[in-house]
Amino acid sequence: MDDHGRGSGPRPPDSGEDPLGPDPLDPGTPDPLPYEGVWRFTAPAVDASVPQARHAVRDLLYRQGVPVSDDLVQGLLLIVSELVTNAVRHAALLSPMLAVEVAVGAEWVRVSVEDNHPYRPTALEAAHSETGGRGLLLVREVTREAGGVCDVEHTSSGGKVIWAALPLKAVHVS
């Protein structure tokens, strides 16, 4: 992310700023908070990557001192679990590796999962008798309840990235 989370929302518009980041000599640029940054890791598209990704995200948030409530952490970890599970179940054939990214700004945290499968999933209602198929609905609902946003985008390599951004301050939507 070009602005390291300093935009007004989780997906700041392209402002034409230098993609290398803020100019350290510009006195108008605020210093980043100690917990701000972007971290990315890759994992094989296998079942064992689901808990590994969840633990890595949790440990990162705590290690960086991100000011997140326990409820927000649980929501983020549920989102990561669902998105990595979807990549493992539905994209592994064409994408044997996946990437998880955590971007933390001054006022929000964004998690995303990227794979190289071109299919863009949609949240579908699943029959009550089915044991799966509700992952993206769950991601959308957890994100909405936290006052955040989520989306699916195509990557330049032909794959996709599914992301959810949640505000660091608790927002309750009814």
Side-chain angles (χ1 to χ4, degrees):
M1 301 193 107
D2 296 346
D3 70 352
H4 302 287
R6 293 234 168 248
S8 61
R11 293 289 299 183
D14 183 11
S15 62
E17 293 178 9
D18 181 353
L20 298 177
D23 181 353
L25 301 177
D26 179 4
T29 303
D31 291 333
L33 295 170
Y35 57 82
E36 287 185 86
V38 178
W39 297 267
R40 182 178 176 91
F41 60 91
T42 59
V46 297
D47 289 337
S49 293
V50 177
Q52 289 172 352
R54 188 173 53 245
H55 295 313
V57 169
R58 182 199 61 213
D59 294 348
L60 172 71
L61 294 171
Y62 290 131
R63 186 175 62 246
Q64 292 304 123
V66 180
V68 289
S69 68
D70 288 339
D71 287 343
L72 187 64
V73 170
Q74 293 307 313
L76 286 166
L77 298 180
L78 178 59
I79 290 168
V80 168
S81 293
E82 292 298 332
L83 296 182
V84 173
T85 297
N86 282 352
V88 167
R89 287 190 181 157
H90 305 294
L93 186 61
L94 293 178
S95 183
M97 295 296 289
L98 58 91
V100 176
E101 184 175 279
V102 179
V104 182
E107 300 174 358
W108 54 268
V109 59
R110 178 182 186 258
V111 293
S112 62
V113 175
E114 180 179 336
D115 63 57
N116 289 320
H117 196 291
Y119 175 69
R120 183 179 168 132
T122 57
L124 301 174
E125 297 288 341
H128 291 289
S129 61
E130 294 180 31
T131 59
R134 295 177 186 88
L136 289 179
L137 287 173
L138 189 55
V139 167
R140 187 169 46 185
E141 186 61 22
V142 168
T143 302
R144 186 192 68 77
E145 285 184 11
V149 293
C150 58
D151 202 1
V152 180
E153 299 172 357
H154 289 288
T155 63
S156 60
S157 63
K160 67 183 163 303
V161 60
I162 305 175
W163 58 268
L166 307 179
L168 289 177
K169 305 293 184 228
V171 175
H172 296 287
V173 178
S174 51

